Amino acid sequence: MGQYHTIINKTKKERLNAHALDNGHKLREQTGWDGSTSTILMCLLSNSNGRGGGDFRGEHVNEHSGRWAGDAIVVQGDYAEEGDPAYISEAELETYTDISAELVGLQRELAGESSQKMCPDMLVVANR
């Protein structure tokens, strides 16, 4: 079946729900396209976005860019065990705030920046 992963900010006690951001929960389902949770994570972690060509742009980008810069971040699967390096128990994780709903606008903005769009099983690059 596969392992489902959650992106967790231990510093701010926040987490992302991939399904709320139109992603699957498996690692490969959360990477490789412009609206992916990995792209959102890059924006959240960016420390100096918006100062050069190729940076993320937009109203929601400006609001959330750098929000997690310098924080302790963990990508944890549901097969994680107590001995894993940055293990967070299910009970502790339930106390974290799911910020996914706040990031839907950001996800849409990032997905709209290029011609890459997600399909269920493959990446499609539109003709330019």
Side-chain angles (χ1 to χ4, degrees):
M1 184 162 135
Q3 183 171 201
Y4 292 175
H5 289 80
T6 302
I7 299 175
I8 305 161
N9 182 320
K10 291 183 77 168
T11 306
K12 290 189 172 64
K13 295 189 180 278
E14 296 177 336
R15 59 188 164 85
L16 303 181
N17 177 332
H19 278 183
L21 297 165
D22 294 329
N23 284 252
H25 277 291
K26 296 176 184 173
L27 280 180
R28 291 181 61 91
E29 295 171 341
Q30 296 188 54
T31 61
W33 62 290
D34 288 341
S36 68
T37 51
S38 62
T39 305
I40 293 167
L41 180 62
M42 289 296 292
C43 185
L44 291 171
L45 293 172
S46 64
N47 194 44
S48 59
N49 183 57
R51 297 185 186 143
D55 286 358
F56 297 124
R57 306 273 185 225
E59 177 185 339
H60 297 286
V61 168
N62 293 340
E63 181 182 347
H64 297 290
S65 181
R67 176 179 178 154
W68 286 5
D71 293 352
I73 307 300
V74 175
V75 178
Q76 179 169 291
D78 57 359
Y79 296 171
E81 298 175 347
E82 216 168 299
D84 291 338
Y87 176 76
I88 302 168
S89 71
E90 191 64 37
E92 181 181 348
L93 190 55
E94 287 179 17
T95 69
Y96 285 40
T97 303
D98 182 350
I99 64 166
S100 305
E102 297 175 44
L103 302 178
V104 169
L106 173 64
Q107 188 270 342
R108 290 183 180 149
E109 217 166 63
L110 294 173
E113 283 192 351
S114 86
S115 59
Q116 290 186 355
K117 302 295 177 205
M118 184 64 177
C119 286
D121 296 309
M122 64 180 180
L123 179 69
V124 175
V125 179
N127 293 331
R128 298 187 205 289

